[in-house]
Amino acid sequence: MAAGLLTLSMAGCGSVSGGVTPAGGDWSKSGGASSKTMVTVVKLKGIPWFDRMEKGVRTYGKRTGIDTRTEGGDDGSPEKQIQIIEDLIAQKPTAITVVPNSPEALSGVLAEAKAEGIITVAHEATGIKNADVDIEAFDNAVYGRKIMNNLGECMAGKGEYVQFVGRLTAKTHMEWVGAAYERQKAKFRGMKRVEDPIESTDNEATAYEKAKEVLAKHPNIKGFQGSASSNVPGIARAIEEAGREKDTCVMGTSIPSAASKYLVTGAIDKIFFWDPALAGQAQLEIARILAGGGKIMVGTDLGIKGYHNLKKLSGYDNVFIGDASIEADAETANQYDF
């Protein structure tokens, strides 16, 4: 974790001209870190992925002296995120960082925040409007293709499969499954996606129930791709109950702490992820740079593992990507303590 954090002496990082600058003011002219508040709004509270992000947010605050915390609803509804951000605007924090359930739905409330001089940073929200910067852990299309390459190899390029997303409004989830689907059609023509992306509402129990429905409806199903961190554990539970560990391939986004027991049994074959703690810190570090009058540009080094040399995503003015993707199977997952 220490490698992923910056001290305040790096306030000038990314200050070369030609990058993205915030709508808010320059905090370097008024007060220090202790007078600043940054709030990270997550998709929902109480699941391992965002528990891990919260840990990173708290650690960042302790190291920098900035008042940092996370907020989130008890489900993944965009409406709850909007209400949380509206409440935060009244408190006038230095910055609001957010992992949106629906980038489109949050556009209006983020515009309100910017109008009040609040810096806005997003994550998992390619193309979001009214965010000063959207930081992605990697190129989402590349990530989706990587998952399909592994799933296709596991399935020997043949058979039926389905894809799960947390919500159909989740921009990155849809980008992953879209890129994976295109790769399947081009490279694994013996495979067939038998349903449109299935929505789990970011709920493991829902993913479990819908996976049971898929197994009943498609008895020859061979592959499952999950997008929300709760998808593959929910799918794996259904796979185990059906005794299908050996003749199915289950892969997708999750973290070792949520997936490890199923990786051991073979109900999950491989997971793909990035460290939510470091992603939370990357959002906050971008906000700190912008609040200090700096700019985010190609080559900016956030001093955080996976975010040392930011690249700009083609076609977007405010989207920057790192190189933070990780993959793990039963043999390698124990390398990670989250």
Side-chain angles (χ1 to χ4, degrees), residues 4-20:
L5 298 171
L6 293 179
T7 61
L8 290 177
S9 63
M10 296 182 69
C13 177
S15 60
V16 180
S17 63
V20 173

Side-chain angles (χ1 to χ4, degrees), residues 5-273:
L5 298 171
L6 293 179
T7 61
L8 290 177
S9 63
M10 296 182 69
C13 177
S15 60
V16 180
S17 63
V20 173
T21 56
D26 182 349
W27 79 347
S28 63
K29 297 178 181 178
S30 59
S34 62
S35 66
K36 309 306 171 187
T37 299
M38 297 184 181
V39 185
T40 299
V41 181
V42 298
K43 288 184 176 181
L44 74 163
K45 299 276 270 185
I47 64 172
W49 188 276
F50 290 113
D51 289 345
R52 175 69 177 177
M53 183 170 285
E54 182 174 27
K55 182 176 181 179
V57 166
R58 289 179 175 177
T59 301
Y60 184 91
K62 289 177 182 177
R63 288 293 300 270
T64 61
I66 300 169
D67 179 7
T68 60
R69 69 179 192 273
T70 62
E71 298 282 354
D74 56 5
D75 63 42
S77 68
E79 293 76 17
K80 287 188 178 178
Q81 282 193 313
I82 291 170
Q83 184 60 58
I84 289 167
I85 294 172
E86 286 179 343
D87 292 343
L88 288 173
I89 290 171
Q91 300 170 32
K92 294 192 175 180
T94 306
I96 295 172
T97 73
V98 60
V99 188
N101 287 305
S102 169
E104 292 79 10
L106 265 58
S107 176
V109 73
L110 291 179
E112 294 176 24
K114 287 170 66 72
E116 293 296 326
I118 299 169
I119 291 165
T120 57
V121 179
H123 176 58
E124 291 192 60
T126 307
I128 190 169
K129 299 184 185 303
N130 299 317
D132 291 310
V133 171
D134 171 55
I135 179 66
E136 299 295 316
F138 38 69
D139 184 314
N140 290 311
V142 172
Y143 182 76
R145 290 193 290 268
K146 180 188 295 186
I147 294 174
M148 179 50 66
N149 286 340
N150 281 268
L151 185 64
E153 290 173 10
C154 181
M155 293 174 61
K158 299 177 182 179
E160 300 176 345
Y161 76 100
V162 291
Q163 298 174 308
F164 279 56
V165 295
R167 288 184 179 271
L168 297 173
T169 57
K171 181 75 171 180
T172 51
H173 292 190
M174 296 302 291
E175 288 179 330
W176 301 339
V177 298
Y181 183 45
E182 292 303 316
R183 174 54 60 95
Q184 175 264 302
K185 291 189 293 182
K187 186 176 180 180
F188 302 105
R189 296 182 181 180
M191 293 171 60
K192 179 182 179 182
R193 188 178 75 174
V194 292
E195 295 194 18
D196 290 337
I198 299 167
E199 189 175 44
S200 71
T201 66
D202 291 287
N203 186 290
E204 184 174 326
T206 302
Y208 161 70
E209 293 294 343
K210 293 198 172 184
K212 287 202 301 181
E213 293 174 7
V214 169
L215 288 165
K217 184 177 178 181
H218 305 284
N220 295 321
I221 196 77
K222 192 174 179 182
F224 292 81
Q225 177 187 346
S227 301
S229 62
S230 56
N231 284 168
V232 290
I235 293 166
R237 180 182 163 197
I239 293 292
E240 281 195 347
E241 289 184 359
R244 298 284 304 274
E245 299 95 325
K246 292 184 179 180
D247 66 353
T248 57
C249 297
V250 177
M251 298 186 180
T253 303
S254 193
I255 53 177
S257 62
S260 59
K261 67 179 181 179
Y262 296 114
L263 285 165
V264 170
T265 65
I268 296 174
D269 295 274
K270 185 176 281 190
I271 56 173
F272 303 80
F273 58 104

